[in-house]
Amino acid sequence: MRLLIVEDEKRLAVSLARGLTAEGFAVDVVHDGLEGLHRASEGAYDLVVLDIMLPGMNGYRVCGALRAAGHDVPVLMLTAKDGEYDEAEGLDTGADDYLTKPFSYVVLVARIRALLRRRAGAASPVVTAGSLRMDTAARRVRLGEDEIALTTKEFAVLEQLVLRAGQVVSKADILEHVWDFAYDGAPNIVEVYVSALRRKLGAAAIRTVRGAGYRLEAR
């Protein structure tokens, strides 16, 4: 899943980006409200982590502008302000959740995963495709009775395929959601990870649809 962090405290933003990248997310970071609004409007993000006190345009206005333009991307607001009226204003402008600084990183990740599950319409973090069972909260994958050990990026690539099992997922779509905006390497990096997944799940688990992308075959 691809996240956008809009946070002007650069040390905090970098720390969050590193932690969330290690959790398997693709993360982009900007430090002012106007750039955040531009990126959130133009990019295919699954969630925006949005500070309120920002240069250029505050988080309330960014969130309100996104909602006015019809963007339904989940927004988790971060702020050093902890009054109930501040929280109410954030939610009234269209934010989906609100976290006051200083906050627990563990709680932040849990809130992000909960919002992503809610958007996907999944009450449970466990997704199945045939004998393949993926727990996106515990970051565990089982094939039948066997647990499959995956790297962070392998898990993220497989997650894109499992969430759309039976459908063709393009290489560009996988790149967009698993690697961040700054990635400028070769697109065949996707093929490398798909090959690694086939070695662990079986050669027939992921089918290449020539010219279109990849499809997870439920079995």
Side-chain angles (χ1 to χ4, degrees), residues 9-187:
E9 293 182 41
K10 294 186 178 180
R11 290 181 62 183
L12 173 60
V14 170
S15 176
L16 289 178
R18 286 176 178 167
L20 291 168
T21 298
E23 295 284 342
F25 297 106
V27 183
D28 295 332
V29 177
V30 296
H31 302 295
D32 70 82
L34 288 172
E35 178 66 13
L37 176 60
H38 173 72
R39 287 284 190 91
S41 299
E42 300 297 327
Y45 292 103
D46 297 289
L47 183 139
V48 177
V49 178
L50 178 65
D51 189 29
I52 288 180
M53 303 302 290
L54 293 166
M57 177 183 284
N58 68 40
Y60 296 135
R61 293 178 60 200
V62 171
C63 188
L66 284 172
R67 297 302 186 238
H71 297 289
D72 63 353
V73 60
V75 174
L76 172 60
M77 277 192 164
L78 302 179
T79 182
K81 303 170 73 174
D82 60 359
E84 62 181 15
Y85 292 107
D86 299 317
E87 179 175 354
E89 184 174 355
L91 296 174
D92 283 345
T93 59
D96 298 274
D97 204 350
Y98 188 102
L99 206 53
T100 302
K101 301 174 184 176
F103 52 82
S104 161
Y105 174 74
V106 173
V107 171
L108 172 70
V109 174
R111 296 277 186 93
I112 287 173
R113 295 199 185 283
L115 288 174
L116 292 172
R117 289 198 301 272
R118 188 187 307 168
R119 190 186 195 197
S124 168
V126 177
V127 185
T128 60
S131 59
L132 184 69
R133 180 181 175 88
M134 171 176 267
D135 187 329
T136 58
R139 316 294 288 174
R140 300 177 71 176
V141 173
R142 300 188 72 87
L143 184 60
E145 297 300 315
D146 301 322
E147 183 163 348
I148 308 297
L150 299 179
T151 67
T152 298
K153 276 290 190 282
E154 288 170 353
F155 189 97
V157 171
L158 182 61
E159 184 175 24
Q160 292 300 308
L161 297 171
V162 169
L163 290 174
R164 286 172 281 181
Q167 302 176 33
V168 177
V169 184
S170 71
K171 185 185 298 184
D173 202 17
I174 295 172
L175 271 174
E176 190 172 74
H177 286 85
V178 177
W179 280 267
D180 61 29
F181 183 80
Y183 178 75
D184 60 359

